[in-house]
Amino acid sequence: MPSDTPKLPATPAQPALPDGGEGTVVVERQSSKVEPPRLYQVVMLNDDYTPMEFVVMVLQQYFHRDLETATHIMLKIHHEGRGVCGVYTKDIAATKVELVLAAARRAGHPLQCIMEAA
Ligand code: TYC
Protein backbone atom coordinates (compact mmCIF):
# COMPACT_ATOMS: atom_id res chain seq x y z
CA MET A 1 0.00 0.00 0.00
CA PRO A 2 1.43 3.46 -0.87
CA SER A 3 2.41 5.38 2.23
CA ASP A 4 -0.01 8.33 1.48
CA THR A 5 -3.18 6.14 1.52
CA PRO A 6 -5.42 7.40 4.40
CA LYS A 7 -5.78 4.74 7.08
CA LEU A 8 -9.21 3.54 8.22
CA PRO A 9 -9.72 3.57 12.00
CA ALA A 10 -8.67 0.27 13.47
CA THR A 11 -11.52 -2.23 13.89
CA PRO A 12 -12.04 -2.93 17.62
CA ALA A 13 -10.95 -6.42 18.55
CA GLN A 14 -14.28 -7.00 20.41
CA PRO A 15 -17.75 -5.80 19.34
CA ALA A 16 -19.38 -3.33 21.82
CA LEU A 17 -21.01 -5.25 24.69
CA PRO A 18 -23.86 -3.98 26.93
CA ASP A 19 -21.77 -4.77 30.00
CA GLY A 20 -18.68 -3.00 28.64
CA GLY A 21 -16.96 -6.36 28.85
CA GLU A 22 -17.41 -6.59 32.66
CA GLY A 23 -19.66 -9.61 32.67
CA THR A 24 -22.66 -8.04 34.50
CA VAL A 25 -25.80 -6.32 33.17
CA VAL A 26 -28.17 -4.61 35.61
CA VAL A 27 -31.85 -4.52 34.64
CA GLU A 28 -33.64 -1.99 36.86
CA ARG A 29 -37.12 -2.89 38.02
CA GLN A 30 -39.85 -0.28 37.55
CA SER A 31 -40.23 1.28 41.02
CA SER A 32 -43.98 1.96 40.65
CA LYS A 33 -46.83 0.60 38.57
CA VAL A 34 -47.93 2.65 35.58
CA GLU A 35 -51.46 3.85 36.35
CA PRO A 36 -53.97 4.90 33.71
CA PRO A 37 -54.32 8.70 33.53
CA ARG A 38 -56.98 10.34 35.71
CA LEU A 39 -60.04 11.45 33.78
CA TYR A 40 -61.91 14.75 33.95
CA GLN A 41 -65.42 15.55 32.84
CA VAL A 42 -66.16 18.79 31.09
CA VAL A 43 -69.41 20.13 32.55
CA MET A 44 -71.51 22.88 31.00
CA LEU A 45 -73.69 25.07 33.18
CA ASN A 46 -77.10 26.51 32.44
CA ASP A 47 -77.79 30.23 32.21
CA ASP A 48 -80.78 32.28 31.11
CA TYR A 49 -79.20 34.02 28.11
CA THR A 50 -77.12 31.70 25.92
CA PRO A 51 -79.29 30.58 22.99
CA MET A 52 -80.07 26.87 22.86
CA GLU A 53 -78.81 26.72 19.26
CA PHE A 54 -75.41 28.04 20.35
CA VAL A 55 -75.07 25.34 23.02
CA VAL A 56 -76.03 22.66 20.50
CA MET A 57 -73.45 24.05 18.05
CA VAL A 58 -70.74 23.99 20.76
CA LEU A 59 -71.56 20.38 21.64
CA GLN A 60 -71.33 19.39 17.97
CA GLN A 61 -68.20 21.38 17.17
CA TYR A 62 -66.05 20.86 20.28
CA PHE A 63 -67.40 17.56 21.65
CA HIS A 64 -68.19 15.79 18.36
CA ARG A 65 -71.80 15.06 19.30
CA ASP A 66 -74.38 14.43 16.59
CA LEU A 67 -77.37 16.78 16.43
CA GLU A 68 -79.68 14.46 18.36
CA THR A 69 -77.21 13.82 21.20
CA ALA A 70 -76.19 17.49 21.35
CA THR A 71 -79.85 18.52 21.64
CA HIS A 72 -80.41 15.92 24.37
CA ILE A 73 -77.40 17.15 26.40
CA MET A 74 -78.40 20.80 25.93
CA LEU A 75 -81.95 20.11 27.18
CA LYS A 76 -80.60 18.18 30.16
CA ILE A 77 -78.44 21.21 31.09
CA HIS A 78 -81.40 23.53 30.53
CA HIS A 79 -83.63 21.50 32.88
CA GLU A 80 -81.14 20.25 35.47
CA GLY A 81 -78.66 23.14 35.61
CA ARG A 82 -75.60 21.24 34.41
CA GLY A 83 -74.56 18.42 32.14
CA VAL A 84 -71.50 16.42 31.12
CA CYS A 85 -70.25 17.21 27.61
CA GLY A 86 -67.47 14.58 27.61
CA VAL A 87 -64.75 12.87 29.65
CA TYR A 88 -61.06 13.39 28.84
CA THR A 89 -57.54 13.38 30.20
CA LYS A 90 -56.57 16.55 32.09
CA ASP A 91 -54.90 18.55 29.29
CA ILE A 92 -57.61 17.77 26.76
CA ALA A 93 -60.40 18.66 29.21
CA ALA A 94 -58.66 21.95 30.06
CA THR A 95 -58.26 22.78 26.37
CA LYS A 96 -61.94 22.06 25.68
CA VAL A 97 -62.98 24.37 28.54
CA GLU A 98 -60.77 27.16 27.16
CA LEU A 99 -62.07 26.70 23.60
CA VAL A 100 -65.72 26.73 24.72
CA LEU A 101 -65.24 29.80 26.94
CA ALA A 102 -63.41 31.63 24.12
CA ALA A 103 -66.17 30.79 21.60
CA ALA A 104 -68.87 31.94 24.05
CA ARG A 105 -66.99 35.19 24.78
CA ARG A 106 -66.50 35.88 21.05
CA ALA A 107 -70.24 35.38 20.49
CA GLY A 108 -71.10 37.54 23.51
CA HIS A 109 -72.78 34.75 25.49
CA PRO A 110 -72.28 34.13 29.24
CA LEU A 111 -72.03 30.33 28.80
CA GLN A 112 -69.94 28.72 31.56
CA CYS A 113 -68.01 25.50 31.35
CA ILE A 114 -65.90 23.77 34.02
CA MET A 115 -63.89 20.59 34.44
CA GLU A 116 -63.98 18.25 37.41
CA ALA A 117 -62.35 14.95 38.32
CA ALA A 118 -64.50 12.13 36.96
N1 TYC B 1 -81.23 28.15 29.34
C1 TYC B 1 -80.83 28.62 28.02
C2 TYC B 1 -82.05 29.23 27.31
O1 TYC B 1 -83.17 29.01 27.73
C3 TYC B 1 -80.25 27.51 27.16
C4 TYC B 1 -78.99 26.95 27.69
C5 TYC B 1 -78.79 25.58 27.71
C6 TYC B 1 -77.98 27.79 28.16
C7 TYC B 1 -77.61 25.03 28.18
C8 TYC B 1 -76.76 27.26 28.62
O2 TYC B 1 -75.44 25.36 29.08
C9 TYC B 1 -76.61 25.87 28.63
N2 TYC B 1 -81.80 29.97 26.23
Side-chain angles (χ1 to χ4, degrees):
M1 188 186 340
S3 61
D4 60 348
T5 304
K7 291 218 166 49
L8 290 171
T11 312
Q14 300 287 329
L17 296 170
D19 62 354
E22 277 199 339
T24 52
V25 177
V26 175
V27 178
E28 287 186 34
R29 235 178 260 288
Q30 225 172 265
S31 59
S32 58
K33 285 263 175 301
V34 176
E35 302 286 355
R38 293 198 64 184
L39 295 178
Y40 292 78
Q41 53 191 22
V42 175
V43 175
M44 209 132 79
L45 307 177
N46 188 37
D47 65 71
D48 292 338
Y49 305 102
T50 304
M52 292 183 171
E53 301 72 33
F54 183 81
V55 177
V56 171
M57 179 279 291
V58 163
L59 287 162
Q60 290 181 284
Q61 187 164 327
Y62 296 103
F63 299 95
H64 310 291
R65 303 300 188 172
D66 61 35
L67 177 60
E68 197 188 354
T69 308
T71 303
H72 181 86
I73 295 171
M74 182 280 293
L75 285 173
K76 182 184 167 68
I77 303 166
H78 178 69
H79 290 300
E80 298 179 14
R82 52 178 274 152
V84 176
C85 306
V87 178
Y88 308 94
T89 53
K90 195 175 197 174
D91 288 0
I92 294 183
T95 301
K96 302 251 182 217
V97 168
E98 286 311 313
L99 290 173
V100 170
L101 293 180
R105 237 177 281 129
R106 275 198 305 276
H109 301 312
L111 183 64
Q112 288 300 312
C113 190
I114 58 172
M115 63 188 270
E116 54 189 37

Coordinates of all heavy atoms in Angstrom, one line a residue, residues 43-56 59 73-79 81-83 85 110-113, ligand 1:
V43 N -68.0 19.9 32.2 CA -69.4 20.1 32.6 C -69.8 21.5 32.1 O -69.1 22.5 32.3 CB -69.6 20.0 34.1 CG1 -71.0 20.4 34.5 CG2 -69.2 18.6 34.6
M44 N -71.0 21.6 31.4 CA -71.5 22.9 31.0 C -72.6 23.3 31.9 O -73.4 22.4 32.4 CB -72.0 22.8 29.6 CG -71.9 24.1 28.8 SD -71.1 23.8 27.2 CE -72.6 23.2 26.4
L45 N -72.7 24.6 32.2 CA -73.7 25.1 33.2 C -74.8 25.8 32.5 O -74.6 26.5 31.4 CB -73.0 26.0 34.2 CG -71.8 25.4 34.9 CD1 -71.1 26.4 35.8 CD2 -72.2 24.1 35.7
N46 N -76.0 25.8 33.0 CA -77.1 26.5 32.4 C -77.0 28.0 32.8 O -76.4 28.4 33.7 CB -78.4 26.0 33.0 CG -79.6 26.5 32.3 OD1 -79.6 26.8 31.0 ND2 -80.7 26.8 33.0
D47 N -77.6 28.8 31.9 CA -77.8 30.2 32.2 C -79.0 30.6 31.5 O -79.6 29.8 30.7 CB -76.6 31.1 31.8 CG -76.4 31.1 30.3 OD1 -77.2 31.7 29.6 OD2 -75.4 30.4 29.8
D48 N -79.5 31.9 31.7 CA -80.8 32.3 31.1 C -80.6 33.0 29.8 O -81.6 33.3 29.1 CB -81.5 33.3 32.1 CG -82.0 32.6 33.3 OD1 -82.1 31.3 33.3 OD2 -82.2 33.3 34.3
Y49 N -79.4 33.2 29.3 CA -79.2 34.0 28.1 C -78.6 33.3 26.9 O -78.9 33.7 25.7 CB -78.3 35.2 28.5 CG -78.9 36.0 29.7 CD1 -78.3 35.8 31.0 CD2 -79.9 36.8 29.5 CE1 -78.9 36.4 32.1 CE2 -80.5 37.5 30.6 CZ -79.9 37.3 31.9 OH -80.5 38.0 32.9
T50 N -77.7 32.4 27.1 CA -77.1 31.7 25.9 C -78.2 31.0 25.1 O -79.0 30.2 25.7 CB -76.0 30.7 26.4 OG1 -75.1 31.4 27.2 CG2 -75.3 30.1 25.2
P51 N -78.3 31.2 23.8 CA -79.3 30.6 23.0 C -79.1 29.1 22.9 O -77.9 28.6 22.9 CB -79.1 31.2 21.6 CG -78.3 32.5 21.8 CD -77.5 32.2 23.0
M52 N -80.2 28.3 22.9 CA -80.1 26.9 22.9 C -79.3 26.4 21.6 O -78.5 25.5 21.7 CB -81.5 26.3 22.8 CG -82.2 26.4 24.1 SD -83.9 25.6 24.0 CE -84.4 25.8 25.7
E53 N -79.5 27.1 20.5 CA -78.8 26.7 19.3 C -77.3 26.9 19.4 O -76.5 26.1 18.8 CB -79.3 27.6 18.1 CG -80.8 27.6 17.8 CD -81.6 28.3 18.8 OE1 -81.2 29.3 19.4 OE2 -82.8 27.8 19.1
F54 N -76.9 27.9 20.2 CA -75.4 28.0 20.4 C -74.8 26.9 21.2 O -73.8 26.4 20.8 CB -75.1 29.4 21.1 CG -73.7 29.6 21.2 CD1 -72.9 30.2 20.2 CD2 -73.0 29.4 22.4 CE1 -71.5 30.4 20.3 CE2 -71.6 29.6 22.5 CZ -70.9 30.1 21.5
V55 N -75.5 26.5 22.2 CA -75.1 25.3 23.0 C -75.0 24.1 22.2 O -74.0 23.3 22.3 CB -76.0 25.1 24.3 CG1 -75.5 24.0 25.1 CG2 -76.0 26.4 25.1
V56 N -76.0 23.8 21.4 CA -76.0 22.7 20.5 C -74.8 22.7 19.5 O -74.1 21.7 19.3 CB -77.4 22.5 19.7 CG1 -77.3 21.5 18.7 CG2 -78.5 22.3 20.7
L59 N -71.6 21.8 21.4 CA -71.6 20.4 21.6 C -71.2 19.6 20.4 O -70.5 18.6 20.4 CB -72.9 19.9 22.2 CG -73.1 20.3 23.7 CD1 -74.6 20.2 24.1 CD2 -72.3 19.5 24.6
I73 N -78.3 16.6 25.3 CA -77.4 17.1 26.4 C -77.8 18.6 26.7 O -77.9 19.0 27.9 CB -75.9 17.1 26.0 CG1 -75.5 15.6 25.8 CG2 -75.0 17.8 27.0 CD1 -74.1 15.4 25.2
M74 N -78.0 19.4 25.7 CA -78.4 20.8 25.9 C -79.7 20.9 26.8 O -79.8 21.7 27.7 CB -78.6 21.5 24.6 CG -78.9 23.0 24.7 SD -80.7 23.3 25.0 CE -81.4 22.7 23.5
L75 N -80.7 20.1 26.4 CA -82.0 20.1 27.2 C -81.8 19.6 28.6 O -82.4 20.2 29.5 CB -83.0 19.3 26.5 CG -83.6 19.9 25.2 CD1 -84.5 19.0 24.4 CD2 -84.3 21.2 25.5
K76 N -80.9 18.7 28.8 CA -80.6 18.2 30.2 C -80.0 19.3 31.0 O -80.4 19.6 32.1 CB -79.6 17.0 30.1 CG -79.3 16.4 31.5 CD -78.3 15.3 31.3 CE -77.7 14.9 32.6 NZ -78.6 14.2 33.5
I77 N -79.0 20.1 30.4 CA -78.4 21.2 31.1 C -79.5 22.3 31.4 O -79.6 22.8 32.5 CB -77.3 21.8 30.2 CG1 -76.2 20.8 29.9 CG2 -76.7 23.0 31.0 CD1 -75.3 21.3 28.8
H78 N -80.3 22.5 30.4 CA -81.4 23.5 30.5 C -82.3 23.2 31.7 O -82.7 24.1 32.5 CB -82.2 23.6 29.2 CG -83.3 24.6 29.2 ND1 -83.2 25.9 29.3 CD2 -84.7 24.4 29.2 CE1 -84.4 26.5 29.3 NE2 -85.3 25.6 29.2
H79 N -82.7 21.9 31.8 CA -83.6 21.5 32.9 C -83.0 21.2 34.2 O -83.6 21.5 35.3 CB -84.4 20.2 32.4 CG -85.3 20.5 31.3 ND1 -86.4 21.4 31.4 CD2 -85.4 20.1 30.0 CE1 -87.0 21.5 30.2 NE2 -86.5 20.7 29.4
G81 N -79.6 22.2 35.1 CA -78.7 23.1 35.6 C -77.2 22.9 35.2 O -76.4 23.8 35.2
R82 N -77.0 21.6 34.8 CA -75.6 21.2 34.4 C -75.7 19.9 33.7 O -76.6 19.2 33.8 CB -74.6 21.1 35.6 CG -75.1 20.3 36.7 CD -74.1 20.2 37.8 NE -73.1 19.1 37.5 CZ -71.9 19.1 38.0 NH1 -71.4 20.1 38.7 NH2 -71.1 18.1 37.7
G83 N -74.6 19.7 32.9 CA -74.6 18.4 32.1 C -73.2 18.1 31.7 O -72.4 19.1 31.4
C85 N -70.5 17.1 29.1 CA -70.2 17.2 27.6 C -69.4 16.1 27.1 O -69.5 15.6 26.0 CB -69.6 18.5 27.2 SG -70.4 20.0 27.8
P110 N -72.9 34.4 27.9 CA -72.3 34.1 29.2 C -72.1 32.6 29.6 O -71.8 32.3 30.7 CB -73.3 34.7 30.2 CG -74.6 34.5 29.5 CD -74.3 34.6 28.0
L111 N -72.1 31.8 28.6 CA -72.0 30.3 28.8 C -70.8 30.0 29.7 O -69.7 30.5 29.4 CB -71.9 29.6 27.4 CG -71.8 28.1 27.4 CD1 -73.1 27.5 28.0 CD2 -71.6 27.6 26.0
Q112 N -71.0 29.1 30.7 CA -69.9 28.7 31.6 C -69.7 27.2 31.4 O -70.6 26.4 31.2 CB -70.3 29.1 33.0 CG -70.2 30.6 33.3 CD -68.8 31.1 33.1 OE1 -67.8 30.6 33.5 NE2 -68.8 32.3 32.4
C113 N -68.4 26.9 31.6 CA -68.0 25.5 31.4 C -66.9 25.2 32.3 O -66.0 26.1 32.5 CB -67.5 25.4 29.9 SG -67.2 23.9 29.3
Ligands
TYC1 N1 -81.2 28.1 29.3 C1 -80.8 28.6 28.0 C2 -82.0 29.2 27.3 O1 -83.2 29.0 27.7 C3 -80.2 27.5 27.2 C4 -79.0 26.9 27.7 C5 -78.8 25.6 27.7 C6 -78.0 27.8 28.2 C7 -77.6 25.0 28.2 C8 -76.8 27.3 28.6 O2 -75.4 25.4 29.1 C9 -76.6 25.9 28.6 N2 -81.8 30.0 26.2

